[in-house]
Amino acid sequence: RYVCHFLPSSPYSLLPHSSAPPPSPPVHQSLRIPIDTLTKDERCLIDEISALLGITSIDDRREEITQIKHIHQQDTWDCGLTCIQMALQHLNNVGKYNLSIDQAWMREFVGTESIWTIDLVTLLHYTLKDITQNATTLSYVFCSTKFGVRQSYSDIEYYHAAFEQDLQRVERLFASVVKEKIPLLQVSHLSLKVLVNFVSKKGCIAIVLIDNRVLLNQTLEGEEQCSTDTVESNSYSGHYVILCGVSYDNNDLNYAKTQYKKESTDAGKTPQTSEFCFVVKNPGNWKERDLVPSWILDKAWRSSGTDEDIIFLNFFQ
């Protein structure tokens, strides 16, 4: 089951003027995944996210990739800011805007090198709230299993050094979401099918928090993805990437298989396979795009420390 933002038990309300959810489009109009393969909860969640993103219908053409220009991160900690840069750069290109994508002002705005997803959402909200809408604009929604700070993360090496300062800032930012009308949706589980339904739509991407240690441990080449000291640790190492589509192309699938290890399994168990791979913009990688098998991305995203954070962004007319 997913827990919606409008439940009274949720401390963070997406809809400050109403306790009712926004009207949802008919489920068959917002699906790219065959309806008979989805659970009732998955269909409801797709409707909910579609309404928040302003998606009233999704055509059945297989436009699986949104062409985002790659930007490489400058430092060991600014992968999240770089993802925002890539998203705003794409909005400038398709919407004829002139938004500044210079990272200097972004760094000043967030005021920290210990970036949490709410920092990125607040930055995105601040950037977009005063723009004049042209032919193309941008909607977004932040989904997570937890809005706030888990005290248990203070024991994780990645979070430990700045945890007390982060705790105060993050809680303050979450407390401001009602006033700022920042769109949030708390979910207990967001399946890969739901994720694919959106990022396979041309013009819809997702900024995802993953455990970079998982991604690196699965890479055959051992290529540096994000040069942080914490990557070498045995504990969690947070990293932001953009999912800009999926590919069912056999050449892409074969390439992805050559770049990543097969999942180790117990005797008698069948190894994980993927019928598709995610097309990823990884700011810690110099390659223009990564092709990541679905099970590896899923494992990195579900890792303890991520809260399964994801920001969906929809570029629409």
Side-chain angles (χ1 to χ4, degrees), residues 16 65 151 191 207 219 235 241 243 258:
I65 300 173
Q151 288 290 339
S191 70
I207 299 174
T219 304
S235 64
V241 299
L243 307 184
T258 65

Side-chain angles (χ1 to χ4, degrees), residues 40-206:
K40 180 180 178 181
D41 287 335
E42 287 173 329
R43 295 196 299 269
C44 290
L45 185 52
I46 287 172
D47 272 358
E48 187 74 13
I49 296 173
S50 295
L52 298 174
L53 291 175
I55 299 174
T56 57
S57 65
I58 298 180
D59 61 45
D60 58 2
R61 292 175 299 172
R62 296 181 70 82
E63 300 280 5
E64 284 107 7
I65 300 173
T66 301
Q67 300 300 330
I68 301 289
K69 185 177 179 182
H70 183 264
I71 299 177
H72 191 271
Q73 64 191 78
Q74 300 175 20
D75 285 309
T76 59
W77 59 270
D78 63 339
C79 50
L81 297 184
T82 308
C83 288
I84 296 294
Q85 280 184 293
M86 286 190 270
L88 294 180
Q89 177 178 251
H90 186 68
L91 182 60
N92 282 341
N93 292 339
V94 299
K96 309 303 180 185
Y97 291 100
N98 191 30
L99 299 172
S100 171
I101 64 169
D102 179 56
Q103 202 181 102
W105 74 266
M106 296 183 188
R107 293 179 178 220
E108 182 177 357
F109 180 89
V110 297
T112 181
E113 295 183 6
S114 181
I115 301 293
W116 289 54
T117 309
I118 190 62
D119 293 302
L120 303 180
V121 173
T122 305
L123 172 62
L124 186 63
H125 175 75
Y126 174 83
T127 306
L128 298 177
K129 68 177 183 178
D130 293 327
I131 67 172
T132 302
Q133 292 189 359
N134 293 340
T136 301
T137 188
L138 174 65
S139 60
Y140 64 94
V141 59
F142 170 26
C143 300
S144 179
T145 62
K146 169 71 174 178
F147 290 141
V149 178
R150 297 185 193 272
Q151 288 290 339
S152 60
Y153 286 177
S154 64
D155 297 327
I156 297 178
E157 181 183 351
Y158 179 85
Y159 290 108
H160 181 75
F163 186 79
E164 291 303 321
Q165 297 92 323
D166 288 347
L167 176 63
Q168 298 178 25
R169 185 188 75 261
V170 170
E171 293 291 3
R172 173 176 52 81
L173 290 175
F174 273 114
S176 70
V177 298
V178 173
K179 177 181 177 182
E180 296 296 329
K181 302 179 183 178
I182 295 177
L184 307 178
L185 186 64
Q186 185 171 339
V187 297
S188 58
H189 179 75
L190 196 155
S191 70
L192 270 190
K193 289 181 181 179
V194 174
L195 175 56
V196 169
N197 187 79
F198 290 102
V199 298
S200 64
K201 170 189 176 293
K202 189 174 183 180
C204 192
I205 64 174

Side-chain angles (χ1 to χ4, degrees), residues 10-37:
S10 175
Y12 307 113
S13 172
L14 171 67
L15 304 174
H17 301 304
S18 171
S19 60
S24 299
V27 67
H28 67 277
Q29 291 187 10
S30 58
L31 292 177
R32 289 177 62 85
I33 302 295
I35 190 171
D36 58 353
T37 68

